[in-house]
Amino acid sequence: MSKKRGLSLDEKRQKMLEIFYEKKTFFQLKELEKIAPKEKGITPMSVKDVLQSLVDDNLVDSERIGTSNYFWSFPSKAVHTKKRKIEVFSEKIDEFKRKKAVSLSRLEEMKKGKENTNEREQISTELEQLQEENKKLSQQLEQYRESDPEVLKEVSNQCQIAFEAANRWTDNLFSLKSWCSKKFNVDTKVMDKQFGIPEDFDYIEE
């Protein structure tokens, strides 16, 4: 007989939220340490860490009253929190699109009067792919903006893809700058100033 697989952290978090959503009341940690193992199969030793991770992600509220800490959460809070994450992701995507548009314009200026190379053609192809990927992602974001909580996780995954795409493109830009610097013996700082590339232009952090 195969050994029963334990719950993953995500599964434990979801089951912990189910306790709050189903019972719709307040709990102390010691109460959850009794309920969670019995009703949801969460090991007693992990209850505190799982609960704290939900508090850190603003999915569970906590308040100290007297000498005791109380915890609670309602379905509406989860929906609001996830919608806010979508808004933050959308703002980051918009900022990425703005930076990309500026950089693309500068790159077009840098290409003028210079011979085409295999490296440049490769970067150009990558840029076209990223533009198409960004277009599709923007359309998906618009579709999911008002969706219910079940699809919000997928939106988060799509945003992560966009971040990775943005950073790949940024890496290509740095490679192109390095190539131009070596090829034409021009300092990268001079190139930045000449073509208006911001000093803080860098990889996007989550």
Side-chain angles (χ1 to χ4, degrees), residues 21 37 48 74 117 128 133 138 153 172 189:
Y21 298 165
K48 183 177 181 180
F74 301 101
T117 64
E128 291 176 0
E133 184 177 1
S138 297
K153 183 177 180 181
N172 287 335
K189 291 183 178 180

Coordinates of all heavy atoms in Angstrom, one line a residue, residues 21 37 48 74 117 128 133 138 153 172 189:
Y21 N -14.4 30.4 6.4 CA -15.5 30.6 5.6 C -16.8 29.8 6.0 O -17.9 30.3 5.9 CB -15.2 30.3 4.1 CG -14.1 31.2 3.5 CD1 -13.4 30.8 2.4 CD2 -13.6 32.3 4.2 CE1 -12.4 31.6 1.8 CE2 -12.6 33.1 3.6 CZ -12.0 32.7 2.5 OH -11.0 33.5 2.0
P37 N -6.6 20.0 12.6 CA -6.2 18.6 12.4 C -7.4 17.7 12.3 O -7.4 16.8 11.4 CB -5.4 18.3 13.6 CG -4.9 19.7 14.1 CD -6.0 20.6 13.8
K48 N 0.1 26.9 13.1 CA 0.6 28.3 13.4 C 1.3 28.9 12.2 O 1.0 30.1 11.8 CB 1.6 28.3 14.6 CG 2.0 29.7 15.0 CD 2.9 29.7 16.2 CE 3.4 31.1 16.6 NZ 4.2 31.0 17.8
F74 N -13.4 36.4 6.0 CA -14.7 36.1 5.3 C -14.4 36.1 3.8 O -13.5 36.7 3.3 CB -15.7 37.2 5.6 CG -16.0 37.3 7.1 CD1 -15.4 38.3 7.9 CD2 -16.8 36.4 7.7 CE1 -15.7 38.4 9.2 CE2 -17.1 36.5 9.1 CZ -16.5 37.5 9.8
T117 N 22.9 42.7 -38.5 CA 23.7 41.5 -38.1 C 22.7 40.4 -37.7 O 21.5 40.7 -37.4 CB 24.6 41.9 -36.9 OG1 23.8 42.2 -35.8 CG2 25.5 43.0 -37.3
E128 N 9.4 41.2 -31.4 CA 8.1 41.0 -32.0 C 7.3 39.9 -31.2 O 6.1 40.1 -31.1 CB 8.3 40.5 -33.5 CG 8.8 41.6 -34.4 CD 9.1 41.1 -35.8 OE1 8.8 39.9 -36.0 OE2 9.5 41.9 -36.6
E133 N 3.1 38.6 -27.3 CA 2.8 38.0 -26.0 C 2.1 39.1 -25.1 O 1.2 38.8 -24.3 CB 4.0 37.5 -25.4 CG 3.8 36.8 -24.0 CD 5.1 36.2 -23.5 OE1 6.2 36.4 -24.2 OE2 5.1 35.6 -22.4
S138 N -2.5 41.4 -22.2 CA -3.4 42.6 -22.0 C -4.8 42.3 -22.2 O -5.7 42.7 -21.4 CB -3.0 43.8 -22.8 OG -1.6 44.2 -22.6
K153 N -6.1 33.2 -9.8 CA -4.8 32.5 -9.7 C -4.2 32.4 -11.1 O -3.0 32.6 -11.3 CB -5.0 31.1 -9.1 CG -3.6 30.4 -8.9 CD -3.8 29.1 -8.2 CE -2.4 28.4 -8.0 NZ -2.6 27.1 -7.4
N172 N 18.1 41.5 -23.2 CA 18.5 41.7 -24.6 C 19.0 43.1 -24.8 O 19.9 43.3 -25.6 CB 17.3 41.3 -25.5 CG 17.1 39.8 -25.5 OD1 18.0 39.0 -25.3 ND2 15.9 39.4 -25.8
K189 N 27.5 54.6 -20.7 CA 26.8 55.8 -20.1 C 26.6 56.9 -21.2 O 25.6 57.6 -21.1 CB 27.7 56.3 -19.0 CG 27.7 55.4 -17.8 CD 28.5 56.0 -16.6 CE 28.5 55.1 -15.4 NZ 29.3 55.6 -14.3

